[in-house]
Amino acid sequence: MLTIIHTPELDDSLKSQLITEIDGELQHCGDHYRLHHGAPWPRQSLDGLRQRIPFDINPLPEDFRLDDVRLVISDMDSTLINIECVDEIADFAGVKAQVAAITEEAMRGELDFAASLTQRVATLEGLDESALGKVYEERLSPNPG
């Protein structure tokens, strides 16, 4: 089995814990670590590891080949990229607090996603399209890993 931990650096104590816990080999590969181990992680153990390490942890089959991947599906905001796009666009429109309040309603279950998105985007009506370019140039970047 192969487990990828997406972080450029782990402290020595955590490295030792991982090697002991998985009974395997830890390899540093620049922006991530590869853990080579025999048996798959028990679900409970993997969940515990994810709570101790604030990084993405992805178990993969040992024969996983990135070249074989043909489609990747990912959430964008605060997952693949470092920002919440609508919030940052709203900042340029001067309505960031209003958009944040709508988002909070949705997080509390008071609005479904579609209604929340519709309300948030409606606050941006009339905003010049150039704000999108400014958000892209000044605030957006991919998350590490």
Side-chain angles (χ1 to χ4, degrees), residues 62-128:
E62 189 68 43
D63 62 351
F64 175 79
R65 291 174 27 99
L66 186 58
D67 292 343
D68 292 340
V69 174
R70 296 291 179 243
L71 175 68
V72 174
I73 299 172
S74 174
D75 178 53
M76 287 291 291
D77 291 9
S78 296
T79 302
L80 190 61
I81 60 174
N82 66 321
I83 62 171
E84 295 286 328
C85 288
V86 174
D87 291 0
E88 296 305 316
I89 296 166
D91 193 22
F92 279 92
V95 294
K96 189 171 185 173
Q98 184 180 348
V99 167
I102 296 167
T103 302
E104 284 300 314
E105 285 182 63
M107 298 300 278
R108 289 190 305 265
E110 297 166 9
L111 281 175
D112 67 17
F113 175 77
S116 168
L117 183 61
T118 299
Q119 286 185 23
R120 289 182 290 156
V121 171
T123 67
L124 306 176
E125 187 173 355
L127 182 65
D128 190 81

Side-chain angles (χ1 to χ4, degrees), residues 5-111:
I5 298 180
H6 296 274
T7 178
E9 196 57 50
L10 290 173
D11 67 47
D12 290 338
S13 171
L14 196 47
K15 288 178 193 176
S16 295
Q17 288 177 29
L18 289 171
I19 291 168
T20 300
E21 190 169 327
I22 65 165
D23 190 27
E25 175 189 331
L26 181 65
Q27 177 185 16
H28 187 216
C29 300
D31 66 346
H32 69 277
Y33 285 83
R34 292 173 177 252
L35 300 166
H36 299 273
H37 48 98
W41 287 91
R43 179 70 191 187
Q44 190 174 34
S45 176
L46 184 58
D47 288 345
L49 178 63
R50 285 183 170 132
Q51 289 174 8
R52 292 193 322 263
I53 301 176
F55 309 109
D56 287 339
I57 301 169
N58 301 290
L60 302 168
E62 189 68 43
D63 62 351
F64 175 79
R65 291 174 27 99
L66 186 58
D67 292 343
D68 292 340
V69 174
R70 296 291 179 243
L71 175 68
V72 174
I73 299 172
S74 174
D75 178 53
M76 287 291 291
D77 291 9
S78 296
T79 302
L80 190 61
I81 60 174
N82 66 321
I83 62 171
E84 295 286 328
C85 288
V86 174
D87 291 0
E88 296 305 316
I89 296 166
D91 193 22
F92 279 92
V95 294
K96 189 171 185 173
Q98 184 180 348
V99 167
I102 296 167
T103 302
E104 284 300 314
E105 285 182 63
M107 298 300 278
R108 289 190 305 265
E110 297 166 9
L111 281 175

